[in-house]
């Protein structure tokens, strides 16, 4: 709640230095963790592959089994873990900041339910049955839903306020979810596709999909970066933000666009992975404090680490019986609860 | 609202009389009665409104009497009770958390119930480990226990020298994530028929309800709802934040803890009876708040509108041929969401719970 500018000027010099040092140390640790998680994600699995073989496979590939596994399965899976983790972590931070609501997740703008509805409609009504087909429908559905939410949330007044944005998002999400359930309950084929799609997984996705979603992710990340300074003033409330010279409407539109692109791309590629976007911002804020210029990059890194670790654990402990979303929540949620109980919370 | 508010004193009790809230609640009750009468009358055998009324009082055609009392009444009653309970639970959660998105499913109670119930469904289906009578009692009972377990966990884990709304919300997210993912894991291990049955339960269903389903819900609610409404008097003070509430003489931690447990029990009982009926707990407090122009969701009003939304959705499911056989939970969001959106588009002002 405390504005960064106010905190920075009011805090004694010593406190400022320690908090900066703390953030730097945390950043280094996170980068190390990310490297370790990526390495583990490539090396470990149903068949463990030693690191030097992995390096060989990447530098001088041959047609042997281990090299093929590394290049065609492990590396893509790791890349998707990284991309989706970063996207969801950052999107979650933005949506919680814009709605000023700790319960907001990246799907709140209707993105996830819009994508789910579009995928199910594509399967049942249009008979689409390739994964590439789903991706485009998911992206379209996500975009359409979030545009609707934003339009409803800002209808009849001076731009979307945090409360109406959150409520409009919830209303549209539930509405679409009702429609999706109706279709799925009537059509068994839709049901079968839907229940696997709705678990969320980064396995068995190939580079073609990465290519499809990459432009959305890149634009989304750029918009998120532009959006961050404005978030700091929005955190003080819309009125104060206006008084400080922030263009609230523009900041909000930018934020919503960034959230939609990031989440839409992640959901389209890997299905809904719910927990990351909801939890990671709280973890990031606990480390960095309320300054969004720090929270946003931290959230991206933490998201990637969390997703990769969960995926590796799912592979190693349960030989892939658990999809990443499930593993994430079953391991991540208890850890999150312990953290919430122990640390002093940074409020939105 | 600037309308006249008057303090009413009855002996030691005093409360504020808000004419607009009274009017809104009364019209809600009237609409509910109408929808209930329609729900009792319309079906494969059409019974006119006057015949419905006479059948209710024991007069009229015995066939009508049978159809209404044996088939349509239990379903309608459970709809009213479950919808009302969800409305009250949602209003309490939203007031304690001071967050319009707080509802039993976001905070994990529903997902605890769902995980337990779906577990029973999958076990009795694919594995055949639970059969016969145990399976008819098993699903609601498991749902009730799962919901209560999740709720008690929410309470215990949020308690750290008192219940703090913000911490409670975050703990709830964690519990909901565990329950939600257990459910989806169970769905992906079970075979497709079990999964379809489980999804039907997960959407919230009034179709299979008989009189034996009415008794437990009505007993539980007959106790819980009045207690909640009386205890809910402190919510008015709690909305100003802890320090002010203490200043007003409210025992903040005790009041909030008791209300939380009440809301958990209401949500768990409701969910165990029919499966989680979506959106009622989230939307009806917000709808009522906007209709009545109050600062926070009124409990009795939320109850009435919760029941109204649920029974209306059931009426649509039962009467529109294209939708026949769908669970009621599919329709609550499809009916309720546009109305909620309409309300906040029409009357925009900064509103907080």
């Amino acid at each position: 709640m405390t504005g960064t500018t106010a905190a920075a000027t009011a805090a004694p010099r010593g406190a400022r230095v320690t908090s900066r040092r703390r953030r730097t140390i945390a950043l280094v640790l996170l980068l190390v963790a990310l490297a370790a998680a990526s390495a583990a994600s490539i090396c470990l699995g149903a068949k463990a592959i030693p690191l030097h073989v992995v390096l060989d496979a990447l530098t001088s590939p041959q047609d042997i089994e281990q090299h093929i596994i590394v290049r065609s399965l492990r590396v893509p899976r790791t890349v998707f873990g990284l991309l989706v983790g970063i996207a969801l972590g950052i999107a979650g931070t933005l949506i919680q900041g814009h709605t000023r609501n700790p319960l907001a997740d990246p799907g709140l703008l209707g993105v996830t339910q819009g994508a789910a509805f579009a995928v199910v409609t594509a399967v049942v009504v249009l008979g689409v049955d390739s994964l590439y087909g789903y991706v485009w429908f998911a992206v379209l559905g996500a975009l359409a839903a979030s545009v609707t939410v934003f339009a409803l949330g800002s209808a009849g007044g001076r731009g979307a306020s945090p409360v109406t944005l959150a409520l409009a998002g919830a209303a549209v999400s539930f509405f679409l979810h009702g429609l999706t359930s109706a279709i799925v309950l009537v059509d068994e084929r839709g049901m079968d596709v839907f229940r696997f799609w709705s678990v969320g997984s980064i396995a068995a996705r190939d580079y073609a999909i990465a290519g499809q979603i990459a432009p959305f992710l890149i634009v989304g990340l750029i918009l998120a970066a532009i959006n961050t300074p404005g978030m700091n003033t929005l955190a003080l409330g819309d009125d104060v933000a206006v008084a400080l010279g922030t263009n609230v409407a523009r900041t909000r539109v930018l934020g919503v666009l960034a959230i939609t692109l990031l989440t839409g791309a992640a959901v389209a590629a890997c299905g809904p992975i719910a927990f990351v976007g909801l939890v990671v911002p709280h973890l990031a804020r606990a480390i960095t404090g309320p300054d969004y210029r720090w929270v946003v990059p931290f959230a991206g890194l933490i998201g990637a680490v969390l997703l990769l670790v969960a995926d590796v654990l799912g592979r190693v402990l349960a030989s892939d019986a658990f999809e990443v979303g499930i593993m994430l929540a079953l391991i991540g949620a208890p850890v999150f609860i312990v953290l919430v109980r122990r640390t002093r919370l940074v409020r939105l | 609202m600037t309308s006249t508010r008057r303090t009413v004193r009855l002996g030691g009790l005093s409360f504020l009389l808000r004419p607009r809230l009274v009017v809104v609640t009364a019209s809600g009750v009237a609409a509910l009665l109408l929808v209930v009468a329609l729900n009792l009358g319309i079906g494969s055998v059409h019974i006119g409104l006057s015949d419905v009324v006479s059948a209710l009082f024991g007069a009229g055609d015995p066939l009508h009497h049978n159809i209404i009392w044996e088939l349509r009444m239990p379903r309608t009653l459970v709809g009213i009770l479950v919808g009302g309970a969800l409305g009250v639970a949602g209003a309490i959660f939203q007031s304690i958390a001071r967050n319009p998105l707080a509802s039993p499913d976001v905070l994990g109670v529903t997902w605890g119930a769902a995980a337990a119930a779906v577990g029973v469904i999958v076990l009795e289906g694919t594995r055949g480990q639970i059969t016969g009578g145990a399976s008819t009692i098993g699903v609601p009972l498991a749902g009730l226990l799962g919901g209560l377990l999740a709720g008690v966990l929410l309470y215990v884990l949020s308690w750290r020298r008192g219940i703090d709304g913000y911490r409670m919300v975050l703990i709830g997210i964690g519990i909901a994530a565990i329950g939600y993912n257990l459910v989806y894991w169970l769905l992906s291990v079970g075979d497709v028929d079990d999964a379809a049955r489980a999804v039907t339960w997960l959407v919230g269903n009034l179709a299979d309800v008989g009189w034996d389903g009415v008794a437990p819900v009505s007993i539980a609610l007959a106790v819980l709802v009045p207690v909640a409404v009386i205890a809910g008097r402190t919510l008015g003070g709690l909305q100003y934040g802890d320090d002010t509430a203490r200043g007003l003489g409210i025992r903040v931690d005790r009041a909030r803890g008791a209300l939380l447990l009440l809301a958990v029990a209401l949500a768990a009982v409701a969910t165990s009876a029919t499966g989680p009926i979506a959106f009622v707990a989230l939307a009806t407090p917000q709808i009522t708040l906007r209709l009545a122009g109050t600062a926070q969701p009124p409990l009795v009003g939320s109850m009435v509108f919760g029941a109204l939304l649920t029974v209306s959705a059931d009426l649509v499911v039962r009467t529109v041929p294209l939708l026949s056989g769908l669970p009621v939970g599919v329709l609550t969001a499809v009916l309720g969401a546009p109305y909620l959106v309409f309300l906040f588009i029409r009357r925009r002002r900064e509103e907080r719970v």
Side-chain angles (χ1 to χ4, degrees):
Chain A
M1 290 276 235
T2 341
T4 35
T5 37
T9 43
R13 204 184 154 73
R16 222 190 313 168
V17 171
T18 30
S19 80
R20 184 170 297 167
R21 178 181 296 163
R22 203 180 115 154
R23 283 192 293 229
T24 316
I25 293 172
L27 187 63
V28 172
L29 287 178
L30 260 181
L31 288 172
V32 172
L34 187 60
S38 309
S41 172
I42 296 178
C43 294
L44 301 177
K47 192 174 223 160
I49 298 174
L51 199 54
H52 65 91
V53 180
V54 170
L55 290 178
D56 278 352
L58 296 178
T59 49
S60 52
Q62 291 162 327
D63 260 352
I64 59 172
E65 193 193 356
Q66 289 184 321
H67 286 197
I68 294 172
I69 291 177
V70 167
R71 296 176 63 86
S72 64
L73 296 176
R74 299 274 173 83
V75 173
R77 190 169 182 162
T78 309
V79 169
F80 274 104
L82 282 172
L83 293 179
V84 171
I86 292 173
L88 290 179
I90 291 180
T93 311
L94 294 184
I95 185 74
Q96 290 186 359
H98 277 290
T99 56
R100 295 177 68 199
N101 196 320
L103 284 176
D105 74 73
L108 182 69
L109 290 174
V111 176
T112 310
Q113 294 302 338
F117 178 66
V119 167
V120 169
T121 317
V123 171
V124 174
V125 181
L126 305 174
V128 177
D129 55 5
S130 79
L131 200 52
Y132 301 107
Y134 299 166
V135 171
W136 287 114
F137 278 99
V139 170
L140 281 179
L143 284 175
S146 82
V147 168
T148 313
V149 166
F150 191 69
L152 292 176
S154 44
R158 358 142 250 165
S161 83
V163 175
T164 48
L165 196 59
L167 276 177
V172 170
S173 293
F174 272 100
F175 183 76
L176 289 171
H177 182 68
L179 294 182
T180 309
S181 314
I183 297 176
V184 164
L185 286 167
V186 173
D187 184 294
E188 196 164 295
R189 207 164 57 91
M191 168 79 205
D192 216 25
V193 172
F194 179 70
R195 70 184 175 129
F196 286 108
W197 187 82
S198 63
V199 167
S201 166
I202 57 172
R205 304 286 194 265
D206 63 35
Y207 288 124
I209 295 180
Q212 282 177 315
I213 65 166
F216 296 102
L217 282 180
I218 293 168
V219 177
L221 287 175
I222 294 171
L223 290 181
I226 300 174
N227 199 221
T228 347
M231 303 278 299
N232 276 335
T233 50
L234 277 190
L236 303 170
D238 287 6
D239 296 339
V240 179
V242 171
L244 289 172
T246 305
N247 184 337
V248 172
R250 206 193 60 177
T251 312
R252 201 140 272 157
V253 170
L254 266 183
V256 167
L257 258 179
I259 295 161
T260 308
L261 291 174
L262 292 171
T263 318
V267 170
C270 301
I273 297 179
F275 191 60
V276 180
L278 193 53
V279 160
V280 162
H282 297 294
L283 300 179
R285 270 194 302 272
I287 299 174
T288 63
D291 186 348
Y292 278 97
R293 290 170 302 177
W294 286 90
V295 181
V296 168
F298 266 66
L301 291 177
I302 296 176
V305 172
L306 201 62
L307 204 57
L308 285 178
V309 169
D311 187 47
V312 172
L313 286 177
R315 268 185 270 166
V316 175
L317 298 181
S319 58
D320 239 350
F322 286 123
E323 305 283 1
V324 60
I326 292 170
M327 209 60 209
L328 247 181
L330 296 187
I331 293 176
V335 174
F336 176 66
I337 290 173
V338 171
L339 279 177
V340 167
R341 282 182 58 74
R342 283 174 170 256
T343 49
R344 233 181 82 240
L345 301 169
V346 180
R347 276 149 210 267
L348 282 164
Chain B
M1 276 278 86
T2 49
S3 61
T4 47
R5 296 189 289 193
R6 206 180 297 147
T7 321
V8 179
R9 289 183 202 283
L10 289 170
L13 271 179
S14 73
F15 56 92
L16 209 56
L17 189 70
R18 291 189 171 84
R20 181 165 164 190
L21 177 58
V22 173
V23 171
V24 164
T25 311
S27 2
V29 172
L32 179 62
L33 288 177
L34 180 67
V35 175
V36 165
L38 287 173
N39 208 23
L40 291 176
I42 299 177
S44 53
V45 177
H46 276 270
I47 304 173
L49 269 188
S50 57
D51 289 340
V52 168
V53 176
S54 54
L56 284 181
F57 293 102
D61 192 340
L63 175 69
H64 289 172
H65 186 268
N66 259 351
I67 291 176
I68 287 183
W69 280 102
E70 293 308 314
L71 298 175
R72 296 182 187 165
M73 189 54 115
R75 179 172 179 156
T76 309
L77 269 182
V78 171
I80 297 174
L81 293 169
V82 166
L86 288 175
V88 177
I92 295 178
F93 276 131
Q94 295 184 358
S95 303
I96 298 179
R98 296 203 282 158
N99 192 324
L101 294 184
S103 69
D105 43 339
V106 184
L107 298 180
V109 179
T110 310
W111 289 111
V118 172
V120 171
I121 292 176
V122 169
L123 277 181
E124 73 186 4
T126 322
R127 316 286 158 103
Q129 281 160 350
I130 303 174
T131 46
S135 66
T136 45
I137 314 174
V139 173
L141 186 66
L144 179 63
L145 293 178
L148 289 177
L149 176 68
V152 169
L153 274 178
L154 176 66
Y155 180 83
V156 171
L157 292 173
S158 311
W159 184 277
R160 205 182 140 200
R161 277 172 276 135
I163 300 268
D164 170 66
Y166 198 91
R167 194 188 312 122
M168 180 189 85
V169 156
L170 295 189
I171 301 271
I173 293 175
I175 294 175
I178 298 176
Y180 174 86
N181 282 283
L182 276 177
V183 167
Y184 278 91
W185 174 66
L186 286 167
L187 286 185
S188 63
V189 249
D191 69 41
V192 77
D193 294 333
D194 290 340
R197 274 198 319 133
V199 168
T200 315
W201 188 88
L202 282 173
V203 181
N205 204 341
L206 286 173
D208 314 324
V209 172
W211 277 110
D212 51 344
V214 177
V217 198
S218 43
I219 293 170
L221 300 187
V223 178
L224 292 171
V225 169
V227 178
V229 170
I230 293 168
R233 284 162 45 86
T234 50
L235 285 175
L238 285 173
Q239 70 177 304
Y240 298 112
D242 287 7
D243 296 339
T244 313
R246 280 202 187 90
L248 289 170
I250 297 169
R251 294 192 185 98
V252 173
D253 295 327
R254 220 173 68 175
R256 202 179 276 140
L259 280 164
L260 173 61
L261 287 181
L262 277 169
V264 164
L266 282 167
V269 170
T271 309
S272 69
T274 56
I277 296 181
F279 203 58
V280 177
L282 181 107
T284 47
Q286 293 297 317
I287 288 175
T288 321
L289 172 152
R290 282 171 171 71
L291 285 175
T294 50
Q296 58 176 170
L299 294 189
V300 177
S302 303
M303 179 173 74
V304 171
F305 282 92
L308 178 62
L309 177 56
T310 312
V311 180
S312 310
D314 192 38
L315 180 65
V316 174
V317 167
R318 289 183 58 240
T319 50
V320 178
L322 187 68
L323 304 172
S324 65
L326 281 182
V328 64
V330 170
L331 256 288
T332 44
V334 177
L335 287 182
Y339 190 58
L340 178 59
V341 168
F342 164 73
L343 282 179
F344 62 66
I345 288 179
R346 193 186 52 130
R347 232 167 49 70
R348 258 189 61 88
R349 82 197 155 98
E350 193 72 10
E351 270 149 344
R352 295 205 175 81
V353 175

